[in-house]
């Protein structure tokens, strides 16, 4: 929980891999979500976003991001990082790249929670 008077910054990790029974979003489908998320964070929690990390995004998403970021505040754009890879269910998160922004134990914990949410027949 963030206290109202705190100046603490958030690092948001957004894993866009699909799961069993829930596909990953398309590159085009992801852009409105990114734009909306950035807008809401800026409006509701100004200056709280320390870093937004999206992974793994397909190459097309990188090109779309290049086009979309011209409509987003330059300071906010600097806070967003996209890691390129094919977002397959079985692919591991890019731990080495993410480790620059959060502790590796956080990524492992999030990966365990993601896998635990799969419905196994």
């Amino acid at each position: 929980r963030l206290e109202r008077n705190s100046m603490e910054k958030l690092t948001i990790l957004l894993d866009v891999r699909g799961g069993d029974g829930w596909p990953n979003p398309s590159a085009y489908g992801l852009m409105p979500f990114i734009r909306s998320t950035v807008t809401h964070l800026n409006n509701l929690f100004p200056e709280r976003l320390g870093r937004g990390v999206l992974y793994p995004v397909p190459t097309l998403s990188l090109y779309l991001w290049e086009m979309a970021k011209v409509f987003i505040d330059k300071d906010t754009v600097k806070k967003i990082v996209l890691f390129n890879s094919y977002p397959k269910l079985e692919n591991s998160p890019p731990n080495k790249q993410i480790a620059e922004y959060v502790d590796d134990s956080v990524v492992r914990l999030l990966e365990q929670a993601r896998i635990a949410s799969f419905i196994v027949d």
Side-chain angles (χ1 to χ4, degrees):
R1 176 172 174 179
L2 293 176
E3 295 297 326
R4 182 178 298 269
N5 296 325
S6 169
M7 293 308 293
E8 193 173 1
K9 304 277 185 180
L10 299 173
T11 296
I12 297 174
L13 301 178
L14 182 59
D15 182 344
V16 298
R17 290 174 292 167
D20 287 338
W22 35 283
N24 62 305
S26 69
Y28 288 111
L30 195 56
M31 291 314 296
F33 173 77
I34 293 169
R35 198 172 313 127
S36 175
T37 301
V38 168
T39 299
H40 281 86
L41 283 171
N42 277 338
N43 292 340
L44 300 174
F45 305 102
E47 298 306 315
R48 290 291 195 137
L49 180 64
R51 185 72 62 190
V53 180
L54 284 79
Y55 65 94
V57 296
T59 304
L60 179 58
S61 293
L62 297 177
Y63 294 119
L64 291 172
W65 171 243
E66 289 300 315
M67 292 186 297
K69 70 184 187 182
V70 299
F71 301 106
I72 301 172
D73 175 69
K74 287 181 180 16
D75 290 330
T76 303
V77 168
K78 292 177 191 175
K79 298 175 185 180
I80 306 296
V81 179
L82 280 71
F83 292 126
N84 178 247
S85 180
Y86 188 75
K88 293 178 98 175
L89 170 68
E90 60 275 1
N91 286 0
S92 297
N95 293 11
K96 290 180 183 176
Q97 295 168 302
I98 296 171
E100 183 177 337
Y101 305 103
V102 297
D103 189 77
D104 189 52
S105 64
V106 173
V107 179
R108 285 194 310 268
L109 180 66
L110 291 173
E111 182 66 3
Q112 289 172 354
R114 184 183 84 91
I115 292 169
S117 69
F118 295 160
I119 298 170
V120 182
D121 292 332

